[in-house]
């Protein structure tokens, strides 16, 4: 871990690695997946590093608290964003991202006619989404997906927190395997996070280029958009 980053956290939190771990577990994208190895890394905290099991418990508490807060506040806040001119585009981008992640869950649920089984399929879909400890599949996204597909607050909290617990257990087990050098786990997670974000950015840019060059139909004729703009300028 870079010495400057280590000094930064020490300057902010001092010897309170538990408080730092709790706060890190609540941050989007990083969440519990990065917080567990972060709190247990001796390279980061030295003698103040947490036992892996304690880092796990603190991280679960912090990220689960986020789920509870989001369950009650996310939709009202999101609906407010949609009504504002300034943040309307941000709300639209969030909605598109969540819709893409929830498509498979909704498709599987629609195939089931029994209402109870439909709710169970949605519950399991969100649970599995959060339980896999990969970047961008944590509590923040999982809670938003559950609310978007119409799950109740109770079902949302139980599915997300249960999945989060499983993800935490997996990260704790991995951290135990590297007990003498937990910082490796943190570096691996951060590397995966960077790859996922880069892939998402490249995909978004590719989609924009495709949409820009996509032919459009005008009065029965297919015209490339750049050509149309040239014709209109004349």
């Amino acid at each position: 871990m870079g010495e400057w980053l280590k000094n930064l956290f020490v300057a902010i939190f001092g010897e309170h690695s538990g408080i730092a771990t709790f706060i890190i577990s609540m941050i989007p994208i990083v969440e519990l997946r990065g917080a567990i190895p972060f709190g247990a890394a001796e390279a980061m905290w030295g003698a103040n590093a947490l036992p892996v099991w304690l880092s796990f418990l603190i991280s679960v508490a912090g990220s689960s608290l986020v789920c509870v807060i989001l369950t009650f506040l996310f939709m009202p806040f999101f609906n407010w964003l949609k009504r504002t001119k300034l943040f309307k585009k941000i709300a639209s981008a969030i909605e598109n991202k969540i819709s893409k992640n929830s498509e498979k869950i909704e498709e599987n649920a629609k195939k089931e006619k029994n209402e109870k089984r439909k709710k169970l399929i949605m519950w399991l879909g969100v649970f599995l989404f959060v339980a896999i400890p990969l970047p961008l599949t944590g509590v923040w996204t999982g809670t938003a997906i559950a609310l978007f597909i119409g799950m109740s607050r109770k079902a949302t909290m139980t599915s997300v927190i249960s999945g989060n617990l499983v993800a935490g257990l997996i990260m704790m087990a991995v951290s135990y395997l590297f007990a003498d050098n937990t910082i490796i786990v943190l570096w691996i997670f951060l590397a995966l996070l960077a790859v996922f974000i880069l892939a998402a950015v490249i995909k978004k840019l590719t989609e924009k280029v495709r949409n820009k060059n996509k032919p459009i139909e005008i009065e029965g004729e297919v015209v490339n958009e750049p050509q149309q703009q040239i014709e209109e300028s004349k």
Side-chain angles (χ1 to χ4, degrees), residues 12-226:
I12 296 173
F13 298 103
E15 299 178 353
H16 304 291
S17 54
I19 295 175
T21 302
F22 185 82
I23 294 174
I24 292 296
S25 71
M26 301 176 74
I27 296 176
I29 302 178
V30 181
E31 301 186 32
L32 165 146
R33 293 148 171 75
I36 291 176
F38 168 81
E42 291 186 6
M44 172 69 73
W45 300 106
N48 296 311
L50 301 172
V52 175
W53 64 268
L54 182 56
S55 184
F56 160 77
L57 292 177
I58 292 174
S59 299
V60 168
S63 50
S64 296
L65 178 60
V66 168
C67 174
V68 175
I69 294 172
L70 287 177
T71 300
F72 287 93
L73 299 182
F74 178 79
M75 290 308 296
F77 179 70
F78 176 78
N79 290 330
W80 174 80
L81 287 178
K82 291 179 70 174
R83 292 194 297 268
T84 62
K85 291 182 179 180
L86 184 61
F87 301 110
K88 191 174 182 180
K89 289 185 177 181
I90 296 177
S92 178
I94 294 173
E95 187 171 18
N96 290 336
K97 177 63 178 176
I98 295 173
S99 296
K100 289 179 180 179
N101 287 325
S102 62
E103 283 178 358
K104 290 184 179 181
I105 298 175
E106 287 184 305
E107 287 176 4
N108 291 331
K110 286 179 181 178
K111 295 176 183 178
E112 183 58 59
K113 295 181 179 180
N114 185 284
E115 195 64 29
K116 288 185 177 180
R117 290 181 180 177
K118 184 180 293 186
K119 290 180 179 179
L120 177 60
I121 290 172
M122 290 192 294
W123 192 97
L124 289 172
V126 173
F127 166 80
L128 291 173
F129 178 85
V130 180
I132 301 173
L134 292 173
L136 310 179
T137 64
V139 165
W140 285 79
T141 308
T143 304
I145 289 174
L147 295 173
F148 262 72
I149 63 179
M151 289 175 60
S152 66
R153 288 174 176 172
K154 181 180 179 181
T156 296
M157 286 188 282
T158 56
S159 60
V160 172
I161 292 175
S162 297
N164 190 50
L165 183 61
V166 172
L169 289 170
I170 295 173
M171 290 304 301
M172 182 174 67
V174 173
S175 297
Y176 265 122
L177 290 176
F178 295 90
D180 295 332
N181 203 356
T182 313
I183 200 69
I184 292 177
V185 180
L186 181 58
W187 273 118
I188 292 173
F189 172 80
L190 293 176
L192 284 173
L193 180 59
V195 170
F196 272 69
I197 293 175
L198 181 61
V201 171
I202 293 174
K203 183 179 179 181
K204 189 68 176 179
L205 292 175
T206 303
E207 288 177 354
K208 283 187 176 181
V209 171
R210 287 177 179 174
N211 292 334
K212 186 176 180 180
N213 297 326
K214 186 178 180 180
I216 59 176
E217 186 174 342
I218 301 177
E219 296 181 355
E221 295 184 3
V222 177
V223 183
N224 288 327
E225 190 174 359

